[in-house]
Amino acid sequence: MFRSQGIQGEGSYTYSLRPACHTAGLPYPPPSSWPSGTGFATGTISLGEVDAVQISTFEDIWSSFEGGSNNKGVTIYKPVDLPSGYSVLGYYGQDNSIPETGWVLAVKENQSHAVGGIMDFKFQEDFSSSSIVDCSTGKATAVGECGGVPGERTSTSHALTSPVDYVMVWSSQAWNGKQNGHCWFWLPVAPEGYKAVGFLATNTEEKPGLDSVVCVRMDLTEDCIAAEKMWDAGGFSKVSPFSIWGTKPRVRGVTQKGVDAGCFSCFISCNAGCQVPVACVSNTNLHLSAMPTLEQVQSVQASYGPTLVFHPDEVYLPSSVSWFFQHGALLYAADSRDTPVHVSSDGSNLPQGGDNDLAFWLDLPSDGSADEVKKGNLESAEVYIHVKPVYGGTFTDLATWIFYPFNGPSCAKFKLLNIPLGRVGEHVGDWEHYTLRVSNFTGELRSIYFSQHSAGMWHQPFELEYKSRNRPLIYVAKSGHPVYAHEGVNLQGDEKRGIGLRNDTMYSNILLDTREKYQIIAAEYMLARYSEEMPKEPPWLQYMREWGPKFDYDKTAMLNNILKYLPHQIRVPLQDIISKLPDEVLGQEGPTGPKQKNNWFGDERDHL
């Protein structure tokens, strides 16, 4: 990146003279071509009345060299080299501690948009609203926001228009940290019936030109919230506090229309999850022409399918679901005194649909082979992929599930002391997952979500380890099976004090190559666009009850019995940490299956 290197001095600053292209952060370029079909990875996506492209070529506007992650500062970029006819929605910002991997959307009006769209709204009506994740935690009044009802077309006016003015939000003149010149941050003032989508920045006091960005008609937008914080002025500011954030749609899920524009937002006061004074673009008709075909999904999996790495001391390995059934898994009914039923290899004799009413559960075989079945069978193991649209169909998620016949016991840590917790954490049936997020503009892998019980972490490609080319490693923690990007103790609790539960990961030769060992189990959007290639869902996917019984022991009494012999200065903080852990970490009963998880139709749970 040709980032300006000047630091504030007396009278002169240096600035970038050449634009540079950001990349996805992969070790190798993504495939240059994909199997033909639909609009996947063609560079342009129709959002109804506007077409959008991703812009990854930028010029520097301003850099700070302090504050932010690792105290490296932040850089603000202007998108350049736009295709003819396209306009910018806002500028891009990035923490200086990471490689240049960003993008923003540029848009142009599409007069010939499809009125009905490809997604029939029956797709949305088929699922309850409770399956959609509403991640809003606050509300703020937008500067320059005018009347109108979101989702209601107020006129036949153009989809895009220029702002009528700018409001200066903050200037780095009020900041005495290291920087290459000064920067002025501007919020576009949208005309009536329109909304701004991003902020701008300049390295002079002059307002940007009114043709620098476009605003979007209000009915073509969605609410937006602050996501990750990139930078704040901290103690260097002489006046009010100021911070720079990434953004994302407030409501996210399979049937939600909000599109991430990639622009930064900035505030005098904000927390993660608060509503921001700009909007997201909406894919108003939930047009899904850019979602991949089944053959394209298979090509994505072949290109980016991770290798799962199990701890060298792992006892409880995964198996295929059919192996678990074939090796004696039993179905119990709460209202029956009859003997339990052996489950068929495809699960076709399991109760189908409904909800988890506790009327049925699965258990290990009763013929003396339970201890062997607990250990799983790596040779049969495969991952199960749910393919779904996110961010209004501009990205594809490959939510990838792994099944384990048994979840092993937990082990606590207090600084240098390890404390086994007996049977606590054990349960039959364990479903864990990770998610590949792929750009439908380019086909690039943009991030991977690592599920870690109650929440999880998104990692960009440059943060990962790779076994070969663009195929990352995913480390599976011993016994409990949450997944991580690297080897380590991965303490769940209070890392600063060294207190919590261990989730040990370590490289070994116990591997599962998911490029070859996978099954695509669901892709509802293919049905919604009347595709004949939609994968057939296995019968066991419709089993909505628990995959294991509730173990009959007093968890609290067992923990107290283990911890009571510890010194007071160890016992009390450890009890405090353990009491705050979610039930699923120390659970006594088997989980429900993938389709009962809130991320089946919603977005992933992160640490916001």
Side-chain angles (χ1 to χ4, degrees):
M1 179 64 187
F2 296 95
R3 176 177 291 145
S4 59
Q5 298 298 314
I7 298 178
Q8 184 174 346
E10 296 185 2
S12 64
Y13 314 107
T14 60
Y15 297 99
S16 161
L17 299 177
R18 300 169 60 189
C21 186
H22 288 200
T23 68
L26 291 162
Y28 293 86
S32 57
S33 64
W34 298 91
S36 61
T38 70
F40 176 72
T42 59
T44 305
I45 295 180
S46 171
L47 303 179
E49 294 189 43
V50 298
D51 291 338
V53 294
Q54 277 186 344
I55 302 299
S56 298
T57 307
F58 300 98
E59 289 179 348
D60 303 27
I61 296 295
W62 174 78
S63 291
S64 72
F65 301 103
E66 295 176 303
S69 179
N70 300 319
N71 201 32
K72 297 288 187 179
V74 70
T75 296
I76 305 299
Y77 301 94
K78 175 184 177 180
V80 295
D81 295 345
L82 276 62
S84 176
Y86 282 84
S87 300
V88 169
L89 293 164
Y91 286 8
Y92 175 71
Q94 184 169 302
D95 184 330
N96 291 339
S97 67
I98 62 177
E100 291 87 355
T101 57
W103 53 269
V104 295
L105 293 189
V107 293
K108 73 173 182 179
E109 201 153 334
N110 174 10
Q111 299 293 344
S112 60
H113 73 279
V115 174
I118 285 184
M119 176 175 278
D120 190 320
F121 278 97
K122 182 177 184 298
F123 180 58
Q124 186 167 357
E125 293 166 0
D126 284 344
F127 309 120
S128 68
S129 59
S130 63
S131 66
I132 304 304
V133 180
D134 185 339
C135 298
S136 174
T137 59
K139 185 171 177 60
T141 301
V143 177
E145 183 176 314
C146 300
V149 180
E152 178 181 298
R153 184 161 183 166
T154 57
S155 70
T156 56
S157 53
H158 288 287
L160 306 172
T161 193
S162 299
V164 295
D165 198 2
Y166 294 95
V167 174
M168 201 271 285
V169 178
W170 187 79
S171 168
S172 70
Q173 285 180 307
W175 187 71
N176 57 11
K178 294 179 181 178
Q179 54 183 312
N180 64 344
H182 293 305
C183 188
W184 287 259
F185 291 82
W186 306 91
L187 174 64
V189 178
E192 184 176 357
Y194 290 80
K195 284 188 175 183
V197 174
F199 286 75
L200 292 78
T202 60
N203 47 33
T204 72
E205 296 181 64
E206 294 183 14
K207 288 184 179 182
L210 295 180
D211 60 352
S212 298
V213 295
V214 291
C215 301
V216 181
R217 204 176 65 233
M218 188 177 293
D219 61 301
L220 306 180
T221 65
E222 302 284 337
D223 288 340
C224 209
I225 62 169
E228 74 288 346
K229 182 162 69 172
M230 303 176 201
W231 184 81
D232 64 68
F236 294 100
S237 181
K238 301 172 186 175
V239 288
S240 56
F242 177 76
S243 55
I244 301 173
W245 296 71
T247 62
K248 61 184 176 183
R250 180 179 66 84
V251 183
R252 304 177 301 282
V254 170
T255 61
Q256 298 304 305
K257 304 175 184 180
V259 174
D260 182 5
C263 306
F264 77 87
S265 191
C266 52
F267 309 88
I268 299 302
S269 178
C270 179
N271 294 308
C274 71
Q275 190 162 318
V276 302
V278 290
C280 292
V281 185
S282 174
N283 188 349
T284 51
N285 296 315
L286 215 49
H287 198 286
L288 296 181
S289 61
M291 290 295 294
T293 64
L294 185 60
E295 185 181 9
Q296 288 168 339
V297 172
Q298 292 167 339
S299 184
V300 167
Q301 182 66 12
S303 299
Y304 307 127
T307 296
L308 304 186
V309 183
F310 299 93
H311 194 281
D313 298 328
E314 180 62 75
V315 176
Y316 306 108
L317 291 166
S319 75
S320 67
V321 170
S322 60
W323 182 92
F324 179 59
F325 292 162
Q326 291 165 359
H327 284 76
L330 298 172
L331 173 68
Y332 287 78
D335 62 355
S336 175
R337 296 183 180 179
D338 297 336
T339 57
V341 177
H342 284 277
V343 183
S344 61
S345 62
D346 63 355
S348 56
N349 63 336
L350 292 170
Q352 300 286 291
D355 208 340
N356 181 25
D357 53 10
L358 305 180
F360 300 93
W361 64 88
L362 299 179
D363 204 351
L364 297 165
S366 59
D367 60 4
S369 64
D371 286 342
E372 284 302 309
V373 173
K374 281 182 182 181
K375 297 176 183 178
N377 180 265
L378 189 61
E379 185 177 353
S380 73
E382 58 186 355
V383 296
Y384 302 100
I385 300 175
H386 176 211
V387 190
K388 58 179 184 173
V390 289
Y391 289 151
T394 57
F395 284 79
T396 294
D397 272 6
L398 277 66
T400 306
W401 295 88
I402 313 108
F403 175 73
Y404 301 82
F406 197 74
N407 190 95
S410 300
C411 180
K413 182 178 186 293
F414 185 91
K415 299 183 179 178
L416 298 179
L417 180 65
N418 295 316
I419 307 162
L421 298 181
R423 297 179 61 194
V424 174
E426 290 187 348
H427 57 80
V428 174
D430 185 26
W431 282 103
E432 304 290 346
H433 84 284
Y434 60 88
T435 296
L436 308 184
R437 181 158 289 178
V438 175
S439 168
N440 289 346
F441 290 97
T442 63
E444 292 174 315
L445 175 66
R446 298 302 310 197
S447 56
I448 298 182
Y449 178 79
F450 291 73
S451 177
Q452 294 152 7
H453 297 309
S454 59
M457 293 283 291
W458 284 103
H459 287 280
Q460 295 185 60
F462 66 83
E463 299 177 285
L464 306 176
E465 300 173 25
Y466 293 82
K467 183 170 178 61
S468 60
R469 294 193 66 81
N470 290 334
R471 299 165 192 132
L473 296 176
I474 290 182
Y475 289 89
V476 181
K478 182 176 177 288
S479 293
H481 311 130
V483 290
Y484 294 88
H486 303 286
E487 298 176 280
V489 173
N490 303 305
L491 203 63
Q492 188 165 6
D494 188 335
E495 273 195 276
K496 290 184 178 179
R497 291 195 292 165
I499 306 172
L501 297 186
R502 297 183 67 111
N503 290 293
D504 293 85
T505 54
M506 183 181 294
Y507 191 83
S508 77
N509 291 321
I510 309 174
L511 306 172
L512 178 62
D513 185 350
T514 69
R515 291 175 304 154
E516 301 173 358
K517 304 291 290 293
Y518 73 92
Q519 183 183 155
I520 299 173
I521 57 171
E524 294 93 344
Y525 70 89
M526 293 185 186
L527 176 63
R529 68 183 187 191
Y530 312 111
S531 172
E532 296 179 356
E533 62 178 1
M534 178 178 172
K536 184 178 179 181
E537 296 186 0
W540 57 259
L541 187 59
Q542 301 299 328
Y543 173 68
M544 302 299 180
R545 279 76 175 189
E546 292 171 345
W547 284 68
K550 183 171 182 177
F551 283 172
D552 189 17
Y553 66 87
D554 187 332
K555 180 176 67 177
T556 302
M558 180 175 288
L559 281 170
N560 288 337
N561 191 53
I562 293 170
L563 301 178
K564 69 182 181 182
Y565 298 106
L566 297 174
H568 180 271
Q569 65 269 30
I570 296 178
R571 182 179 71 254
V572 172
L574 194 56
Q575 286 175 325
D576 179 60
I577 292 294
I578 290 175
S579 69
K580 295 176 182 177
L581 294 173
D583 289 340
E584 60 193 272
V585 177
L586 301 174
Q588 298 167 242
E589 55 194 8
T592 52
K595 213 164 190 177
Q596 282 287 83
K597 309 301 185 186
N598 60 12
N599 70 309
W600 187 266
F601 298 121
D603 199 10
E604 300 292 354
R605 294 182 293 179
D606 54 25
H607 289 295
L608 277 187

